Amino acid sequence: MTWVDSNARVRYVPRVDDDSKREHASCAPSGRLHTGARNGHLRAEDVAVETLLGRSVIEFRGRAFGEYLADATVLVTGAGGSVGRELCARLTRLRPRELVLVDQAEASLIGLARSLRDEMAFANIVPVLLDIRSRARTADAFERYRPNVVFHAAAYKHVPLLEAFPVEGVATNILGTKSIVDAARRVDVGHFVLFSTDKAVDPTNILGQTKAVAEWIVAVAGREAAHGGYASVRLGNIVDSAGSILPIFRQQVASGGPVTVTHPKATRYLMTAAEAAGLAIVAGELADSDDVFWLDSGPPVRVVELVRRLASAVERDVGIDFVGLRAGERLHEHPFASGAEVAGTPCEHVWRSTVHHVDPAWLARWLALLALHVSRASAAGVRGALAEIQWAAEHEVDEATAVLAR
């Protein structure tokens, strides 16, 4: 099978180990000099994200949506990750009483705590080394620090890796989320924000399926909470984050190519960690009970166009190899399911949608089934249950009870 991109004169080539079978295309330089160029050329790592996205980065300025954080104890899971670090830095400017940093990665946790103390001059920090999959440890941390606000960013997010390790995906993204949500409800958290993904819309891969179920967990908790707002925030791909495509593209362009792209027609919604952090803070203010929010990250960007912009900015001719979609990947993503009710909010860059309503008892039975497969380390069981739960939700069928009874 072959696709041809007439603009780049690139032929799709299935993955091969023999470099002689690789085909190339030239990303022609624009001939235009860019601000900050050294000796007439930018380095790949110095090209601004705005240049690559083809739009201005959205800035959330002022405290219009952050008053609820003043004098609050705020807990952030996955604090050491790309979005978590940016979020924590922004939170320190909004006068919380205390910032509780939760992560299972020791080095990331220590580095973040030091950075917030030294660079942000914020002293009220509590680093907590914690695996959120431990319900007892999670409950103990929440009882000890009793947060008013929770931002839940801890998750596994790499699509092909989760296809290979679905048990870990369910254990962290679903059962870990349930652990955090249950602990939050026990201490009556007032604002809860889950970081989700556009891959949760009509999910076809493990990441999307686990995040869709996580959204249901948060929505059920929000509807049952006596007060306070629970919300899920759907994000596109975070550019320049650890493990994302842009750092790889920068390195490949800097070394002269070739640049590996999955498919000539592949598109992604792209945003910065700063935009994601700003959205999370807005969502915490706007959340009612079971909302899903989406940030205006501009139109989806063709991945190959991202490479062209990068090559043009550094004025380099770079070969492109189209290597095919990886396991679990789709050509395109969407922020909302077809037919979803979408409305604007007081923040012009944020849209609100409703999440699929599920019965709490029905969800509890499916979660018990998933937990059973995780305890047995059954990848096949996890995959099957995730597929079944999506189908059952759409058709309002309960198959989990019969399976658990066996």
Side-chain angles (χ1 to χ4, degrees):
M1 184 180 297
T2 298
W3 292 272
V4 175
D5 182 340
S6 58
N7 291 325
R9 306 186 308 283
V10 177
R11 187 176 301 275
Y12 169 81
V13 183
R15 271 197 175 89
V16 292
D17 295 325
D18 181 0
D19 287 345
S20 66
K21 297 180 181 179
R22 181 181 292 147
E23 299 209 11
H24 295 77
S26 173
C27 288
S30 65
R32 179 168 55 93
L33 296 182
H34 296 256
T35 303
R38 298 181 181 180
N39 299 322
H41 296 279
L42 280 173
R43 296 182 304 175
E45 62 266 32
D46 295 330
V47 179
V49 170
E50 291 89 341
T51 298
L52 303 177
L53 296 182
R55 64 174 176 84
S56 298
V57 172
I58 298 169
E59 288 288 344
F60 294 92
R61 300 185 182 279
R63 304 179 186 274
F65 297 101
E67 289 297 330
Y68 70 100
L69 296 165
D71 202 36
T73 295
V74 183
L75 184 147
V76 179
T77 74
S82 301
V83 174
R85 292 178 67 89
E86 178 67 30
L87 175 62
C88 290
R90 285 174 173 259
L91 289 171
T92 62
R93 306 183 190 116
L94 296 172
R95 308 188 307 274
R97 176 172 61 252
E98 189 173 59
L99 193 55
V100 182
L101 314 176
V102 173
D103 208 297
Q104 66 171 339
E106 181 184 39
S108 297
L109 192 61
I110 293 172
L112 174 61
R114 182 180 298 115
S115 172
L116 294 178
R117 291 191 182 106
D118 296 346
E119 299 175 20
M120 304 303 297
F122 188 82
N124 297 333
I125 295 170
V126 181
V128 178
L129 192 63
L130 172 65
D131 184 343
I132 63 171
R133 296 179 294 185
S134 170
R135 293 183 62 84
R137 284 278 294 113
T138 299
D140 177 70
F142 273 70
E143 287 290 343
R144 178 176 301 183
Y145 302 110
R146 305 193 71 82
N148 312 108
V149 181
V150 173
F151 293 98
H152 178 35
Y156 287 130
K157 308 177 182 73
H158 194 270
V159 171
L161 196 60
L162 289 191
E163 292 300 303
F165 298 97
V167 172
E168 294 302 314
V170 169
T172 297
N173 295 1
I174 293 180
L175 302 183
T177 295
K178 187 67 165 64
S179 171
I180 291 291
V181 167
D182 288 349
R185 291 188 61 189
R186 278 192 291 269
V187 299
D188 202 21
V189 164
H191 300 265
F192 188 104
V193 178
L194 165 73
F195 284 85
S196 187
T197 170
D198 51 12
K199 296 163 187 63
V201 178
D202 299 326
T204 58
N205 54 43
I206 300 297
L207 172 58
Q209 290 167 338
T210 58
K211 282 297 192 176
V213 177
E215 288 183 0
W216 297 344
I217 292 170
V218 172
V220 166
R223 290 195 296 273
E224 294 181 343
H227 62 83
Y230 282 62
S232 296
V233 177
R234 285 186 189 148
L235 309 174
N237 288 25
I238 305 298
V239 295
D240 268 347
S241 64
S244 67
I245 57 174
L246 188 50
I248 297 173
F249 288 168
R250 290 184 192 272
Q251 182 181 24
Q252 290 175 334
V253 169
S255 63
V259 179
T260 54
V261 178
T262 57
H263 192 286
K265 295 183 179 180
T267 63
R268 293 292 180 265
Y269 285 97
L270 300 174
M271 64 193 311
T272 67
E275 288 176 322
L279 167 62
I281 291 171
V282 172
E285 173 70 22
L286 299 178
D288 184 9
S289 62
D290 60 349
D291 300 301
V292 171
F293 293 100
W294 175 258
L295 172 69
D296 175 17
S297 54
V301 177
R302 285 183 66 192
V303 178
V304 71
E305 183 61 27
L306 194 70
V307 177
R308 291 196 188 109
R309 291 170 182 169
L310 180 57
S312 176
V314 298
E315 301 187 316
R316 298 284 296 272
D317 288 337
V318 189
I320 301 176
D321 286 354
F322 288 131
V323 296
L325 293 172
R326 299 175 298 176
E329 289 186 326
R330 299 190 287 201
L331 272 180
H332 312 294
E333 303 292 350
H334 303 280
F336 302 110
S338 59
E341 296 181 5
V342 181
T345 71
C347 178
E348 63 177 328
H349 295 294
V350 179
W351 283 273
R352 182 197 310 264
S353 178
T354 53
V355 71
H356 183 80
H357 278 220
V358 298
D359 177 72
W362 176 92
L363 180 60
R365 289 190 288 273
W366 279 105
L367 293 178
L369 177 58
L370 286 169
L372 178 63
H373 288 309
V374 168
S375 70
R376 295 173 175 174
S378 174
V382 161
R383 287 193 181 94
L386 285 175
E388 290 168 6
I389 191 174
Q390 297 295 330
W391 183 89
E394 293 175 4
H395 296 82
E396 299 183 354
V397 171
D398 188 356
E399 297 180 342
T401 303
V403 176
L404 284 168
R406 289 202 292 266

